[in-house]
Structures are given as C-alpha cells and as structure tokens.
Amino acid sequence: MNGDKIIEAKNVSKWYGSFQVLTNINLTVRKGERIVVCGPSGSGKSTLIRCFNRLEAHQEGEIVVNGIALHEKMRNVSEVRRNVGMVFQHFNLFPHMTVLMNCMVGPMWINGVSQTEARERALKFLERVRIPEQANKYPIQLSGGQQQRVAIARSLCMQPAVMLFDEPTSALDPEMVSEVLETMTALAKDGMTMVCVTHEMGFARAVADRVIFMNSGQIVEEATPDDFFTKPQHQRTKLFLSQIL
Ligand code: ADP
Ligand code: MG
C-alpha cells in the first residue's frame, strides 16, 4: 500500500525562532482520503498544511508529498506546488484578471498547457463549481462565496494530487458558507484527496474519513468523525467540542 500515500509526515517539528509551533507530527494521507483538521486558534493547523506545499519549512522529521521528499536542499519545490492545490481563507484571486484568466494562467504559465486547452479546462472546472456564467467577470464583481468557488476551480485546473483547504469558509458571510461547503462535498464525492482545516463540523461529519484534532502544535486526537463527536478521548477535545457545537 506504499504507493497510494499522497502525504506522509513523520515526527515533524517546526520552530518560529525559539517558539515550537509543531511537535512530532505524524500523519499519513492516502489517495482519496478526506481529512479534516480542527483545533483552537494558534494550535498550528495553518502551519502544518503550509508545510505540505512548502510555503513553510519544517526543521525536524520527514515530509513526503506525492513521492517527493521536502527538505532544505530540494530543487523541485515548484513540482510539489503543482501537485498540491491550496485554497485560503481570503481567496487570493488575481484582481486584475477575469475569472476565466485566473483559472487559465496556472496551467499555461506553469504547466505549459496551450491556451485552447487551458480555456477548455477552466470552463470545465468553472462548470464543476457551478459558476460558468461568471467566467468573464472580475473577482470584485463576485460575491465572497463565488470568489471562493473560483479559487477552488483555479486550483483544480492544475489537476493536483491533493487539495489543501485552510478555513475556506471562515471569511464568508454566513449565507455563503453552504455553497462553498457543497462544492467541497461534491469534490470529495468525486474522490479528490483533501486535507481541510475547518470548524464546519457538519462538513466533517458528512465528508471526513478522519478528523484530526490539534492543540499546542501536537495532534492530540485522530478518529473517525463518529468516534470524534460521540466519544472524544482527550480532555482538550471535549472542551473544544463543547465550545463549538
Ligand atoms: P492556527 O492555524 O491553528 O490558528 P497557526 O499555524 O497560524 O495556527 O499558528 C500557530 C502559532 O504559530 C501561533 O501561535 C502563531 O502566532 C504562530 N505563528 C504563525 N505564523 C508565524 C510566523 N510567521 N512567525 C512567528 N510565529 C508564527
Ligand atoms: Mg490558521
């Protein structure tokens, strides 16, 4: 079963200066798995997933993503980024480009895909997130929920092996949360490998194969959604659940 590991983190630790932000993280994400990561603010969730596409560097332990070992001397960071899609809290779309161009530039400039193919691909994924009619608008003309769906489509256009989501709905107005969660649920049903930092526990219950709970830079609990919500083991998890549910 070695070949189907998309992300493997072994004993990963990281410091910001003298502050240890991650401590001995062990996590394996297999092809097609959906992992939800939750935990209190400041527990290291963003830092962890940013290590998976080398937006951050870890100092101890091993991270292998889609067969590529991430370390200081690696030369193929861009190859890792091509394999790993990332969706942020604040959509990070290119404001001066149309929705369509936002989705086309990655494949064209980074993967060398032809303009014709990039356009076809962009339209296909805009269709998939159900906003093909917005293709020629600029990001600012779209609602937050629509912009986040464009950000998801833009990532999908790179045909990544795994998608990382960092609290994709937490900057949205409440009425726009469900459209983004529905898009993510549809992706999960299509078999996309996903690591989602989110506090949307309904989504976690419906979609996750495993829920990871982090506290102070450590994974303190890892369980199926059923076990996680009905019989959390750790005191810190119980407290967290009592605060958010
Ligand atoms: P979470 O996503 O769970 O809220 P983060 O990974 O963003 O947590 O942050 C974990 C801890 O690391 C926090 O205490 C935060 O203040 C600190 N931190 C995050 N980024 C940096 C940075 N670039 N430099 C120093 N400290 C940071
Ligand atoms: Mg965060």
Side-chain angles (χ1 to χ4, degrees):
M1 292 291 281
N2 252 357
D4 72 351
K5 285 179 186 165
I6 303 290
I7 296 175
E8 186 166 38
K10 281 191 197 160
N11 291 317
V12 170
S13 294
K14 172 174 177 62
W15 288 258
Y16 287 121
S18 61
F19 171 67
Q20 184 159 13
V21 58
L22 297 175
T23 305
N24 286 328
I25 298 286
N26 287 289
L27 178 64
T28 300
V29 183
R30 293 176 185 281
K31 193 168 164 44
E33 269 191 314
R34 283 74 48 113
I35 311 292
V36 161
V37 181
C38 62
S41 178
S43 57
K45 306 178 297 295
S46 295
T47 303
L48 178 63
I49 67 167
R50 290 167 67 85
C51 284
F52 293 157
N53 68 350
R54 202 70 181 166
L55 283 176
E56 296 285 353
H58 62 289
Q59 281 103 31
E60 280 183 8
E62 290 170 30
I63 303 178
V64 179
V65 175
N66 219 19
I68 304 172
L70 311 189
H71 54 77
E72 255 171 49
K73 293 186 186 125
M74 64 186 300
R75 298 219 176 114
N76 44 357
V77 175
S78 59
E79 194 183 335
V80 174
R81 304 244 169 97
R82 277 206 294 275
N83 286 318
V84 182
M86 181 124 180
V87 174
F88 302 90
Q89 188 175 351
H90 300 284
F91 336 121
N92 297 3
L93 295 172
F94 306 120
H96 58 294
M97 291 180 191
T98 63
V99 162
L100 188 67
M101 274 310 279
N102 263 277
C103 293
M104 288 172 63
V105 289
M108 278 165 41
W109 294 350
I110 298 169
N111 290 353
V113 166
S114 74
Q115 190 169 343
T116 313
E117 195 190 328
R119 179 185 298 272
E120 263 170 35
R121 220 189 259 184
L123 288 170
K124 175 176 124 186
F125 286 111
L126 287 170
E127 194 91 47
R128 172 94 72 94
V129 301
R130 304 209 316 272
I131 40 174
E133 73 282 358
Q134 309 294 345
N136 295 314
K137 292 196 181 159
Y138 286 84
I140 198 169
Q141 298 172 286
L142 272 52
S143 73
Q146 290 172 326
Q147 290 188 52
Q148 193 58 299
R149 286 188 283 149
V150 173
I152 294 171
R154 181 179 62 174
S155 277
L156 292 173
C157 285
M158 300 295 288
Q159 303 180 320
V162 54
M163 287 279 286
L164 309 177
F165 292 86
D166 194 356
E167 305 205 34
T169 59
S170 58
L172 296 176
D173 291 335
E175 72 272 21
M176 290 167 191
V177 169
S178 63
E179 65 189 67
V180 171
L181 292 178
E182 278 162 23
T183 303
M184 292 168 64
T185 303
L187 259 188
K189 292 222 166 85
D190 285 351
M192 175 60 76
T193 309
M194 298 163 71
V195 181
C196 312
V197 176
T198 180
H199 291 158
E200 293 292 339
M201 294 295 125
F203 173 81
R205 268 179 198 273
V207 167
D209 298 296
R210 276 182 291 147
V211 180
I212 306 279
F213 178 74
M214 288 183 72
N215 191 44
S216 302
Q218 288 176 290
I219 293 177
V220 299
E221 193 147 348
E222 177 169 351
T224 62
D226 242 11
D227 285 350
F228 185 79
F229 292 109
T230 59
K231 40 184 181 232
Q233 300 295 308
H234 200 279
Q235 203 51 43
R236 193 65 190 77
T237 317
K238 290 177 191 168
L239 175 65
F240 176 78
L241 287 173
S242 75
Q243 286 165 337
I244 64 158
L245 291 179

